[in-house]
Amino acid sequence: MEWTRGRTVGRGSSATVSAATSCHSGDTFAVKSVELSLSGILQREQRILSSLSSPHVVGYIGCEITNESNKLVYNLLMEYLPGGTIADISRDRRLNEPGIGFYTRQIVQGLEYLHSSGIAHCDIKGHNILVCEKSGAKIADFGCARWLNAAEEEAGIGGTPMYFAPEVARGEEQGCPADIWALGCTVIEMATGGPPWTRVENPVSILYRIGFSGEIPVVPGFLSDEGKDFLSKCLRTDPRERWTAKQLLRHPFLRESNSEGEQILEFVSDSPTCVLDQGVWNSIEERETLDVVTCEGIRSDSPAERIGRLSSGSGVPHWRWDGDWIRIRRSNRGDGISGELEVENGKCLITVSDSSNF
């Protein structure tokens, strides 16, 4: 297909998302591009996305290799949704509860489809939920997604630490229940306009807090009893006790609204209704500054000890924030451990060659 690359709508240190136009039909679509030699993750995303077809998942169009500036470029062609993301909408002005329920239902429908197809998304958050004026919310960005029960080349944990489930923060497992926890965090994001966790000092503290403290994110007090109960089904520290997407679709919080458009576009005031409405005051700008931990030389039999050593300064963790992808490789030291970690805007992808927790 002949097409013309337009303006850039997203960028990492290597991958770029551009708007593009078909030379024949004039249709607009999105193109996610990276140099062919660095396209392993993007090709994996293409294999997953090309197997999906749902009104609640961003549409797959195709993939192509182009020659640009004397370099081979791998391109993933996808549906273009100009409405922005759930994160954009909730940051602008806080959604009312019918709007939260409307979008949440569509996200859960998308998750039920993915999970029934044997796929875990592994990075559900407001930034990865695109909005279309006509069709509503669609799940996007499958860079961290994985097939369930499949023997992959490398085991790994990926996603955004702020949305990690406890078992993921401990490095134990990442599957469908982790998507449900992240869904709960995303509902809080929609309700408050801010991150699910507040008072975050650094990546190590949030990983320890999520994985070992037994805490859950604060449920906004202004939500209805149904909204609070829905979150209680998502934010259970034991993944075996969390509701599945199929179960959540029957929850009364997700009952369908008869007045879709007008009701959804209404927003509540940014001012709290009373001084006790702390959920509003906690709607601060999201701090996805969970950055790179260089864990070279840190070994322990216990994940808690590993995080404890990091937080106490052993191993001299180095935090860095520049908004781009950062890649860290750790070579095999003879003890069976090798790994790689990538971070962009707080989103990390960790891969290890054995079953080590970190």
Side-chain angles (χ1 to χ4, degrees):
M1 178 174 64
E2 294 185 22
W3 51 274
T4 303
R5 190 184 299 276
R7 65 185 180 90
T8 298
V9 295
R11 185 192 300 275
S13 62
S14 55
T16 300
V17 179
S18 308
T21 304
S22 168
C23 295
H24 297 293
S25 66
D27 293 338
T28 300
F29 52 92
V31 180
K32 190 172 185 178
S33 306
V34 67
E35 192 173 336
L36 182 61
S37 61
L38 304 173
S39 64
I41 293 177
L42 189 57
Q43 290 192 45
R44 185 171 174 274
E45 181 176 358
Q46 182 274 334
R47 290 193 295 273
I48 291 177
L49 193 59
S50 64
S51 69
L52 304 175
S53 178
S54 166
H56 307 294
V57 174
V58 66
Y60 171 77
I61 295 176
C63 62
E64 291 186 358
I65 296 175
T66 56
N67 193 327
E68 303 177 32
S69 301
N70 296 320
K71 292 182 179 179
L72 293 177
V73 177
Y74 185 85
N75 302 287
L76 174 59
L77 283 57
M78 303 169 291
E79 178 183 14
Y80 179 63
L81 299 173
T85 68
I86 287 292
D88 298 329
I89 293 174
S90 59
R91 274 203 184 113
D92 182 28
R93 296 189 68 186
R94 186 159 57 91
L95 284 165
N96 60 18
E97 187 157 321
I100 295 170
F102 176 76
Y103 287 130
T104 301
R105 179 177 181 82
Q106 294 175 329
I107 298 168
V108 177
Q109 287 174 321
L111 286 177
E112 199 280 328
Y113 169 75
L114 292 177
H115 295 172
S116 64
S117 300
I119 294 171
H121 185 274
C122 301
D123 198 19
I124 293 294
K125 60 180 180 179
H127 281 293
N128 288 341
I129 308 298
L130 299 178
V131 177
C132 177
E133 184 177 347
K134 294 182 179 180
S135 56
K138 297 194 178 191
I139 298 174
D141 195 342
F142 286 77
C144 294
R146 66 181 63 198
W147 286 279
L148 302 170
N149 303 320
E152 299 189 23
E153 295 178 2
E154 291 184 322
I157 286 175
T160 305
M162 186 77 79
Y163 297 77
F164 276 0
E167 68 274 14
V168 180
R170 294 191 296 268
E172 296 171 354
E173 59 179 324
Q174 187 173 30
C176 298
D179 282 349
I180 300 301
W181 175 282
L183 168 71
C185 292
T186 303
V187 172
I188 293 176
E189 180 183 6
M190 282 191 276
T192 65
W197 295 92
T198 57
R199 304 185 305 278
V200 178
E201 297 177 359
N202 55 54
V204 170
S205 69
I206 192 59
L207 286 173
Y208 186 88
R209 188 175 170 191
I210 294 171
F212 300 98
S213 72
E215 290 183 61
I216 67 170
V218 175
V219 174
F222 51 81
L223 286 179
S224 67
D225 289 342
E226 288 181 349
K228 293 174 183 176
D229 186 72
F230 180 86
L231 286 175
S232 76
K233 303 299 190 289
C234 299
L235 298 175
R236 294 183 174 179
T237 55
D238 187 340
R240 296 168 297 182
E241 296 180 358
R242 280 174 225 146
W243 278 27
T244 65
K246 188 173 183 178
Q247 289 175 309
L248 289 173
L249 284 173
R250 297 194 293 268
H251 195 281
F253 180 64
L254 301 187
R255 62 179 179 270
E256 297 204 47
S257 169
N258 293 324
S259 53
E260 295 180 359
E262 293 182 3
Q263 194 173 30
I264 300 313
L265 293 177
E266 291 179 1
F267 296 91
V268 298
S269 169
D270 287 334
S271 301
T273 56
C274 72
V275 294
L276 298 179
D277 199 353
Q278 291 298 318
V280 177
W281 296 116
N282 287 334
S283 300
I284 59 174
E285 182 177 357
E286 183 179 2
R287 290 181 56 204
E288 287 190 355
T289 56
L290 301 182
D291 222 350
V292 176
V293 184
T294 55
C295 300
E296 184 65 42
I298 296 176
R299 287 280 293 169
S300 169
D301 294 331
S302 163
E305 290 178 18
R306 297 184 189 188
I307 291 181
R309 290 188 187 185
L310 282 171
S311 61
S312 65
S314 175
V316 193
H318 171 65
W319 313 109
R320 180 184 166 195
W321 172 245
D322 63 7
D324 288 331
W325 282 99
I326 303 164
R327 178 173 296 184
I328 291 181
R329 285 191 174 90
R330 184 172 63 184
S331 60
N332 194 305
R333 301 172 301 166
D335 56 5
I337 302 296
S338 62
E340 179 176 304
L341 180 149
E342 293 180 281
V343 173
E344 181 187 23
N345 294 343
K347 170 181 170 180
C348 70
L349 175 63
I350 307 169
T351 56
V352 293
S353 60
D354 71 348
S355 58
S356 173
N357 289 323
F358 283 92

